[in-house]
Amino acid sequence: KTVVKEENAVISVVEKTSPSVVAIGVTRRVINPFDPFAIPKRENSTIGTGFVVSSKGIIVTNKHVVSDPGLKYTVVVKEGQKLDVKRIYLDPSLDLAIVQIEASNLKALDLGDSSKLKVGQTVIAVGNALGRFTNTVTTGVVSGLGRRVEVGSPFEGFESLEDLIQTDAAINPGNSGGPLLDISGGVIGVNVATTEGAQNIGFAIPINSGKVLVSEFETTGTISRPFLVIRYSFISKDVAILNEVP
């Protein structure tokens, strides 16, 4: 069978980037509700995806994947090696996080330029679909730019995400935090959400937002964001008159 040019390009991207895509796992203590005296068991499961941005063990993923401080997280590289997460840094304004592990032989992915994206261009998503199918590859196109969606649940609360990339490349639970790649293998987005009840509607955070995060972390070793707090109170008519305000 003849492999067409586009297929060759996708195959090349997958072979080049897959070793840098990792699984994010978690260890939970599970209690048998029918036997309160039983010793809790430790249960390991894959909950998300990440990708290497520095050979020094710096990995980007979604904030919602690693946001519980009471859990123990691990990173599994493609060869099956499991490494403990040493530090986690959460971006307070975006659904992004930096995960740091002790490793020095990891290959970082190239970060592209999401400001130059065009609707209709080919994209490739790599991730751990449903937490069971590691390094699943799906392809599609950029379906829209500048999208705004609300993610979350009634139990955990909702968060509004803006300026997202919409794609028809299949993104399933477990893909969260994985890379959305262009046809040259550059990361142009971080897969973040899918739409319940719909088909082929997924979203990714533009990588230019992630570049700022990675650059700041590599320079300062932490993540900070400016914010403005405003407090107000209602004033009576007398106070308004005394201060000569409306």
Coordinates of all heavy atoms in Angstrom, one line a residue, residues 5-6 15 21 48-49 60 68 73-74 80 99 128 192 200 216:
K5 N 1.6 11.5 1.3 CA 2.5 12.5 1.9 C 2.0 12.9 3.3 O 2.7 12.9 4.2 CB 2.6 13.7 1.0 CG 3.6 14.7 1.5 CD 3.8 15.8 0.5 CE 4.9 16.8 1.0 NZ 5.1 17.9 0.0
E6 N 0.6 13.1 3.4 CA 0.1 13.6 4.7 C 0.2 12.5 5.8 O 0.5 12.7 6.9 CB -1.4 14.0 4.6 CG -1.9 14.5 5.9 CD -3.3 15.1 5.7 OE1 -3.7 15.4 4.6 OE2 -4.0 15.1 6.8
E15 N 6.0 9.6 15.8 CA 7.3 8.9 16.2 C 8.2 9.9 16.9 O 8.9 9.5 17.8 CB 8.0 8.3 14.9 CG 7.2 7.1 14.3 CD 7.9 6.6 13.1 OE1 8.8 7.3 12.5 OE2 7.6 5.5 12.7
V21 N 5.5 12.4 25.5 CA 4.2 12.5 26.1 C 4.1 11.5 27.3 O 4.4 10.3 27.1 CB 3.1 12.2 25.1 CG1 1.7 12.3 25.7 CG2 3.2 13.2 23.9
G48 N -4.7 11.5 33.6 CA -4.4 12.6 32.7 C -3.1 12.4 31.9 O -2.5 11.3 32.0
T49 N -2.8 13.4 31.2 CA -1.6 13.4 30.3 C -0.8 14.6 30.5 O -1.3 15.6 31.0 CB -2.1 13.3 28.8 OG1 -3.0 12.3 28.6 CG2 -0.9 13.2 27.9
V60 N 4.4 19.9 31.5 CA 3.2 20.7 31.4 C 1.9 19.8 31.4 O 1.9 18.8 30.7 CB 3.1 21.7 30.2 CG1 1.8 22.3 30.1 CG2 4.2 22.8 30.4
D68 N -5.4 18.4 43.5 CA -5.7 17.9 44.9 C -4.4 17.7 45.7 O -3.6 16.8 45.4 CB -6.5 16.6 44.8 CG -7.1 16.2 46.2 OD1 -6.5 16.6 47.2 OD2 -8.1 15.4 46.2
Y73 N 0.9 12.0 43.3 CA 0.9 11.9 41.8 C 2.2 11.2 41.3 O 3.3 11.4 41.9 CB 0.7 13.2 41.2 CG -0.6 13.9 41.5 CD1 -0.7 14.8 42.5 CD2 -1.8 13.5 40.8 CE1 -2.0 15.4 42.8 CE2 -3.0 14.1 41.1 CZ -3.1 15.0 42.1 OH -4.3 15.6 42.4
T74 N 2.1 10.6 40.2 CA 3.3 10.0 39.5 C 3.2 10.3 38.1 O 2.2 10.6 37.5 CB 3.3 8.4 39.7 OG1 2.1 7.9 39.2 CG2 3.5 8.1 41.2
G80 N 7.6 3.0 30.3 CA 6.9 2.3 31.5 C 7.5 2.7 32.8 O 7.1 2.2 33.8
V99 N 4.5 20.3 36.4 CA 4.9 19.2 37.3 C 6.4 18.9 37.1 O 6.9 18.9 36.0 CB 4.1 18.0 36.9 CG1 4.6 16.7 37.5 CG2 2.6 18.1 37.2
N128 N -3.6 9.9 26.8 CA -4.0 8.7 27.4 C -5.5 8.6 27.5 O -6.1 8.9 28.5 CB -3.4 8.5 28.8 CG -1.9 8.5 28.7 OD1 -1.3 7.6 28.2 ND2 -1.3 9.6 29.2
V192 N -7.7 20.4 26.8 CA -8.2 20.7 28.1 C -9.6 20.2 28.4 O -10.0 19.9 29.5 CB -8.2 22.2 28.4 CG1 -9.1 23.0 27.4 CG2 -8.5 22.6 29.8
N200 N -16.8 15.1 18.3 CA -15.8 15.9 17.6 C -15.7 17.4 17.9 O -15.5 18.2 17.0 CB -15.9 15.7 16.1 CG -15.8 14.2 15.7 OD1 -15.2 13.4 16.4 ND2 -16.4 13.8 14.6
E216 N 8.6 31.6 32.7 CA 8.7 32.2 34.1 C 9.2 31.2 35.1 O 10.0 31.5 35.9 CB 7.3 32.7 34.5 CG 7.3 33.3 35.9 CD 5.9 33.7 36.4 OE1 5.0 33.5 35.6 OE2 5.8 34.2 37.5

